[in-house]
Amino acid sequence: MENIMVGRQPILDKKENLFAYELLFRSPKNNEIFDGEKATAEVIMNSLESIGLPNLTQNKPAFINFNTKMIKNKIFDILSSDSIYIEILETVEVDEEILSICKELKSQGFKIVLDDFEFKESLIELVKIADIIKIDFLNTTKKVRKETLYLIKSKYNKDVKFLAEKIENYSHLKEAKKFDYDYYQGFYFTKPDIISGRKVEPFKQSYVNILEELNKEYPDFRQIENYIKQDLSMSYSLLRLVNSAAYGYDINSIRQGIVLLGVDKLKKWSLLYSFKSLNSKKPDILLITSLTRAYFAESLKQHLDIDEDLFILGMFSLINAYLDRDLKDVLPLISMKSKFKDALISKEGKLGEVIKIIEIYEKSNWQDLNKYSLDKKAVSNDYLEAIENAEEIFEITY
């Protein structure tokens, strides 16, 4: 299949746990942006046939956009109501046919989601049967948002759930929590919440010692064993990883696990564990995103002709979000190559391009890929593989 380009954006619940993903599609071919009908068809077919829906959504529900033609053509007949939320775009003109089809969808068990919602009289009957209404926090005022919630809950649908989308900063999130939104979506969850005067929490010394030892030409595995044994939860995590089906070992000692995993896998595991321990209040999706970035960065070195271990570059690209501080404040605390630190801050040079390409995939800004000489199909496949690898290692370790 030509240039599979499926993006995904996480949707979190009130506790900031992963609830679902919204799936997005664009084509980078000739800078083409498909219309809604073709885009949705591509999302569905790519997801179901080529990529695999569970791989994309971590077995969570998938929100998929539907425009007027897609609804009237009943493309959803090939989908399962257990895994798909029908997201009706704001461009859909609600007539009797659309309303009848949506009622049919409800009877089949599908959930109806109204995207970029702005109240209109013509939408009242659809509002009455909607399961989720998405409110855009960038393109509406606080006053309008408040009035919309009150009007719908008090007059038209007291059971509907509200999703705050395009949450870009802490004030957005604070408002969404205050007015009891059920779900959140936006890039805020991969950005730091910078609060003046907050202490920068460094890595535990044991994590620093392990990473420094692993970066030596001839690591002392006995010393690494001692560091790990000092932390009971770390010891448990290592044994759980090595004994998992993914590795197929059956061991009972830390030293045996260290030897079996080897330096490369130990580095990845120790980074994962240390990140998880940095800030337990952060949503798990941040850790999964960090891991995805790490695996994707690792794959990009072959496309950009870079002779460096880029796993650590991708992983640490979100360290500021974990510690809620600016990268310029955080990076001096970390033992890392200076050129990596420079790239993370400036996003310049070949290493900076790695970060830019990662962000393009996260935000589904496919047209920006035309700035780079890349095999888009191969890179996209690597991105999807990075998602799988990240979620697999996360599930095993936690």
Side-chain angles (χ1 to χ4, degrees):
M1 185 171 288
E2 185 178 16
N3 286 355
I4 299 169
M5 305 292 284
V6 177
R8 63 178 197 171
Q9 290 185 0
I11 295 170
L12 309 185
D13 63 18
K14 287 182 180 181
K15 295 182 179 179
E16 297 184 31
N17 294 321
L18 180 64
F19 167 70
Y21 282 103
E22 180 175 353
L23 299 187
L24 305 166
F25 178 84
R26 294 293 185 271
S27 171
K29 185 178 180 182
N30 298 324
N31 207 25
E32 175 188 15
I33 303 297
F34 285 165
D35 64 27
E37 182 177 7
K38 192 171 183 181
T40 300
E42 289 286 351
V43 167
I44 293 168
M45 299 312 295
N46 290 344
S47 299
L48 295 182
E49 294 184 2
S50 184
I51 300 165
L53 195 60
N55 294 335
L56 269 177
T57 66
Q58 203 178 335
N59 293 310
K60 300 292 185 181
F63 285 47
I64 297 181
N65 294 334
F66 280 74
N67 72 355
T68 301
K69 288 182 181 179
M70 297 302 290
I71 296 170
K72 291 187 175 182
N73 288 335
K74 298 189 177 182
I75 193 67
F76 44 78
D77 282 346
I78 64 172
L79 303 174
S80 167
S81 60
D82 293 333
S83 56
I84 302 296
Y85 282 54
I86 306 296
E87 187 165 338
I88 299 174
L89 294 174
E90 70 277 11
T91 55
V92 172
E93 292 291 334
V94 180
D95 55 21
E96 288 300 323
E97 184 180 3
I98 291 290
L99 191 59
S100 174
I101 292 172
C102 287
K103 288 179 179 178
E104 179 186 342
L105 283 167
K106 289 276 290 187
S107 69
Q108 294 173 7
F110 284 97
K111 297 290 192 298
I112 303 295
V113 182
L114 306 187
D115 186 38
D116 285 345
F117 184 81
E118 292 183 21
F119 184 80
K120 301 174 186 175
E121 293 287 334
S122 60
L123 296 176
I124 290 175
E125 293 306 312
L126 195 56
V127 166
K128 289 178 180 179
I129 65 169
D131 296 283
I132 297 175
I133 292 177
K134 298 177 74 172
I135 304 294
D136 186 331
F137 269 56
L138 277 186
N139 298 313
T140 59
T141 65
K142 185 174 182 178
K143 181 175 183 291
V144 167
R145 293 192 290 269
K146 182 178 179 180
E147 290 174 349
T148 300
L149 262 66
Y150 177 76
L151 177 63
I152 292 174
K153 285 280 192 179
S154 64
K155 193 171 182 180
Y156 299 114
N157 189 341
K158 64 181 178 62
D159 297 319
V160 72
K161 297 182 182 299
F162 283 93
L163 188 157
E165 65 173 333
K166 296 181 183 174
I167 297 294
E168 299 289 309
N169 53 56
Y170 179 69
S171 64
H172 283 165
L173 181 62
K174 187 177 179 181
E175 178 191 332
K177 287 179 178 289
K178 177 181 177 182
F179 288 98
D180 202 29
Y181 279 74
D182 300 279
Y183 307 110
Y184 315 129
Q185 181 179 6
F187 294 118
Y188 165 77
F189 298 100
T190 57
K191 294 179 181 178
D193 170 22
I194 298 175
I195 300 176
S196 177
R198 176 178 292 176
K199 180 183 177 183
V200 178
E201 294 294 335
F203 284 94
K204 286 185 179 179
Q205 190 59 40
S206 58
Y207 306 157
V208 175
N209 292 338
I210 291 170
L211 289 172
E212 287 183 347
E213 191 66 44
L214 287 169
N215 283 322
K216 292 180 180 178
E217 186 176 358
Y218 300 105
D220 183 341
F221 288 103
R222 187 181 296 275
Q223 187 62 55
I224 293 171
E225 177 189 11
N226 290 334
Y227 291 140
I228 293 174
K229 283 182 174 179
Q230 293 170 16
D231 189 319
L232 178 61
S233 63
M234 201 174 195
S235 300
Y236 170 76
S237 176
L238 176 69
L239 291 175
R240 182 176 176 181
L241 174 67
V242 178
N243 284 323
S244 70
Y247 290 92
Y249 302 127
D250 185 12
I251 67 162
N252 295 296
S253 76
I254 298 297
R255 185 177 302 180
Q256 189 182 3
I258 290 170
V259 173
L260 285 170
L261 282 179
V263 172
D264 184 58
K265 289 185 175 67
L266 271 173
K267 282 183 180 178
K268 292 181 171 116
W269 165 77
S270 58
L271 279 173
L272 168 63
Y273 189 86
S274 59
F275 265 63
K276 180 66 177 177
S277 303
L278 277 176
N279 193 339
S280 60
K281 295 180 180 179
K282 291 294 183 178
D284 286 342
I285 189 61
L286 182 57
L287 180 57
I288 295 172
T289 302
S290 297
L291 275 170
T292 302
R293 283 187 171 208
Y295 280 111
F296 190 34
E298 192 175 45
S299 71
L300 284 172
K301 65 182 183 181
Q302 63 182 323
H303 299 288
L304 298 172
D305 194 26
I306 298 174
D307 187 21
E308 297 278 358
D309 181 358
L310 298 185
F311 189 91
I312 194 170
L313 180 72
M315 193 78 182
F316 276 89
S317 63
L318 288 177
I319 187 65
N320 56 327
Y322 274 94
L323 297 179
D324 288 329
R325 303 298 294 184
D326 190 275
L327 277 172
K328 292 179 181 178
D329 297 327
V330 173
L331 293 179
L333 303 172
I334 299 168
S335 177
M336 184 191 295
K337 294 177 182 178
S338 59
K339 58 183 175 182
F340 278 21
K341 294 181 181 182
D342 292 340
L344 287 172
I345 292 171
S346 69
K347 297 183 184 178
E348 294 179 353
K350 276 198 169 183
L351 293 174
E353 287 182 355
V354 172
I355 305 301
K356 288 179 180 177
I357 292 169
I358 289 171
E359 291 177 347
I360 286 171
Y361 272 82
E362 287 180 349
K363 298 180 180 180
S364 304
N365 293 333
W366 310 125
Q367 63 273 20
D368 291 345
L369 283 177
N370 294 319
K371 302 173 185 176
Y372 307 98
S373 298
L374 298 170
D375 181 338
K376 296 183 179 68
K377 184 174 182 179
V379 174
S380 295
N381 288 338
D382 286 341
Y383 179 62
L384 295 170
E385 186 175 345
I387 289 173
E388 287 189 67
N389 289 338
E391 290 171 352
E392 180 182 32
I393 195 72
F394 178 83
E395 289 297 324
I396 290 170
T397 311
Y398 294 99

